[in-house]
Amino acid sequence: MSRKLTLDLTPPKYTGIASPAIFDRKVFTKSLEILAARAPVSKIATILRAPEMKGSLLDLQKMHSVDVDPQDPKNYRLVLLNAANKAELPEKAINFLENQAESKELVPYTITLDYDYWTADEIIRAVMPEHLKERAPSGFATTGHIAHLNVTPDYLPFRRLIGQVILDKNKTIRTVVNKLDIIDSVFRFFKMDLIAGEPDFVVEHVYWNSRLHTEHARLVQLFNVDDVVADVFAGVGPFAVPSAKKGCAVFANDLNPDSAKYLEINIKKNGVNKLVRVSCEDGRDFIRSVFRRSFEDPFPALLGPRLSKSQERRIKKAGLYQPPTVTDAPPRRRISHFVMNLPETAITFLDAFRGVLVSNEVPGMREAYNVMPMIHCHCFTRELDPEKAEADIRQKVEEKLGSSLTTDVHVHWVRSVAPNKEMYCISFRLPSEVALALG
């Protein structure tokens, strides 16, 4: 009976100093002794496809299972086997090689694994002290050529080595940064520590988080094409731009001048200039003024589904293009959705909605809101149990609004951001008694 070969593919233990300046990648070299079947070139395809050889061929990532035979490179090849000696090969495999594949000789073969073979996760674990191996960080978010890590305190002494390994293992990454602390409460940016690569990043001045792309898509999917959306903390436009590309009219605001600057750039690059209006003001002031702004200077009605640039080019080439015509539909005065993506403090801004529709100076504005807007407010909670988390979030929201939530309430889990810290989005219909509150 054959014994199945089990290769030890773990990287060698690293005993050097965990510093990128003296990081010795040559330590990560490992040799493994196996067998190879020497066979004519004409029989190689037969061997690789044979049912009798199933489980007996070496199958390792990043490694070919056939090599040139140094004794006769023109006529013979070496088929690498999952065995260190003949006793470990099944009898059916031996018979097939000898009788049908014209392979009369099994020869020793040395596999050499080096630094390039192992993943970033495997290398990082290997260089960590024993008590830190289990939770060693290797995951990261990317924006263009930038890798963004959240290195926890235990691993901060090793952050530059971790960054260097990530740089080594990801050829499209040129810059690796670590978030130093929470989002700045005023301008919403992370302070960044460059831990590896080129100092080529602008993100120290604006807020970005590519891990939220699923959440961006989820919310935008809720909007109708003719909706008006007010994005209170718009950043560089992860909600505003996709909403406008869908056809929505968007009031996009951010207090951070750098965010507003790059938001303008993103709007132009995506060809939605006419559908997004950018402001740079405090979120509370924006909430209190945007209702009147939308009513007195509304976006025009949607003129039909937006064409992509490629669709427009094809239609023009076919001579079928007609510019949008003036529509009799009324302009879009009523805001349908508010997006409040500032999870650290967004709930504290909800009191700004109190009395937003109380104004004798704007006749007809109150009547325009026969349906109140939906509020989508991102937030954090320390409660890990979903029911307790929902109760905690609702209590905080209702306390800030000064009213109970009764209509279209939905609490959506977004992601875990840290141990004992969960991110949620609570969506609810703005209570009319809040919008019409006096004082």
Side-chain angles (χ1 to χ4, degrees), residues 96-112:
F96 176 83
L97 290 171
E98 292 178 349
N99 301 323
Q100 299 183 48
E102 300 179 18
S103 176
K104 306 295 184 181
E105 187 179 4
L106 299 177
V107 298
Y109 186 92
T110 302
I111 300 172
T112 301

Side-chain angles (χ1 to χ4, degrees), residues 187-189 205-209 216 231-241 251-267 276 278-281 339-342:
F187 283 163
R188 302 181 74 232
F189 60 80
H205 300 298
V206 300
Y207 172 78
W208 60 282
N209 190 340
H216 301 152
D231 193 348
V232 184
F233 313 107
V236 296
F239 287 106
V241 172
F251 290 95
N253 175 72
D254 203 283
L255 179 60
N256 184 350
D258 287 311
S259 291
K261 170 186 171 183
Y262 287 102
L263 174 57
E264 292 273 16
I265 292 172
N266 283 339
I267 290 167
V276 184
V278 177
S279 58
C280 181
E281 56 190 291
V339 177
M340 303 179 68
N341 180 29
L342 183 58

Side-chain angles (χ1 to χ4, degrees), residues 33-316:
E33 302 298 328
I34 62 168
L35 284 184
R38 188 169 183 264
V41 171
S42 61
K43 294 293 182 179
I44 297 303
T46 302
I47 296 173
L48 296 179
R49 290 196 296 261
E52 294 88 345
M53 297 302 297
K54 185 176 181 180
S56 297
L57 300 173
L58 189 69
D59 183 19
L60 292 184
Q61 290 184 350
K62 305 179 185 178
M63 185 165 294
H64 296 295
S65 55
V66 178
D67 199 0
V68 173
D69 182 359
Q71 296 182 22
D72 189 352
K74 183 177 180 180
N75 300 305
Y76 278 82
R77 296 289 183 269
L78 299 178
V79 180
L80 310 188
L81 302 175
N82 190 32
N85 54 65
K86 192 171 182 178
E88 293 176 343
L89 282 174
E91 187 175 344
K92 64 179 180 179
I94 296 173
N95 292 336
F96 176 83
L97 290 171
E98 292 178 349
N99 301 323
Q100 299 183 48
E102 300 179 18
S103 176
K104 306 295 184 181
E105 187 179 4
L106 299 177
V107 298
Y109 186 92
T110 302
I111 300 172
T112 301
L113 307 179
D114 60 15
Y115 180 77
D116 292 335
Y117 176 79
W118 288 285
T119 65
D121 181 60
E122 291 170 322
I123 296 293
I124 290 171
R125 286 174 183 269
V127 301
M128 289 297 111
E130 199 64 39
H131 68 287
L132 294 178
K133 289 183 183 295
E134 185 177 351
R135 296 178 179 270
S138 60
F140 56 89
T142 59
T143 295
H145 66 278
I146 303 169
H148 163 224
L149 285 77
N150 293 321
V151 180
T152 54
D154 287 345
Y155 295 91
L156 285 177
F158 309 98
R159 67 190 185 283
R160 303 200 185 283
L161 181 56
I162 292 169
Q164 186 58 54
V165 173
I166 288 173
L167 201 63
D168 289 345
K169 296 295 182 176
N170 297 273
K171 301 309 177 187
T172 60
I173 298 298
R174 301 200 312 271
T175 303
V176 186
V177 296
N178 176 48
K179 184 183 75 172
L180 289 179
D181 48 28
I182 63 172
I183 301 171
D184 179 273
S185 60
V186 178
F187 283 163
R188 302 181 74 232
F189 60 80
F190 292 129
K191 293 181 179 178
M192 293 291 180
D193 175 24
L194 176 70
I195 59 176
E198 307 169 11
D200 179 14
F201 59 100
V202 184
V203 294
E204 59 182 320
H205 300 298
V206 300
Y207 172 78
W208 60 282
N209 190 340
S210 61
R211 292 185 180 185
L212 293 177
H213 62 89
T214 302
E215 176 63 4
H216 301 152
R218 182 189 73 86
L219 269 191
V220 172
Q221 195 173 29
L222 299 177
F223 306 155
N224 294 319
V225 293
D226 58 348
D227 281 344
V228 178
V229 178
D231 193 348
V232 184
F233 313 107
V236 296
F239 287 106
V241 172
S243 300
K245 293 183 77 171
K246 185 175 183 176
C248 299
V250 184
F251 290 95
N253 175 72
D254 203 283
L255 179 60
N256 184 350
D258 287 311
S259 291
K261 170 186 171 183
Y262 287 102
L263 174 57
E264 292 273 16
I265 292 172
N266 283 339
I267 290 167
K268 291 177 182 177
K269 283 185 175 180
N270 285 276
V272 290
N273 312 50
K274 295 181 179 179
L275 288 172
V276 184
R277 297 177 187 172
V278 177
S279 58
C280 181
E281 56 190 291
D282 176 74
R284 186 169 275 102
D285 295 337
F286 173 76
I287 292 169
R288 288 172 177 158
S289 64
V290 74
F291 283 87
R292 180 169 181 169
R293 203 178 303 170
S294 180
F295 187 80
E296 293 186 327
D297 185 17
F299 282 93
L302 184 68
L303 299 179
R306 292 189 72 252
L307 298 177
S308 68
K309 290 183 179 179
S310 59
Q311 289 173 325
E312 193 171 304
R313 282 195 297 268
R314 286 198 297 269
I315 292 173
K316 284 181 177 179

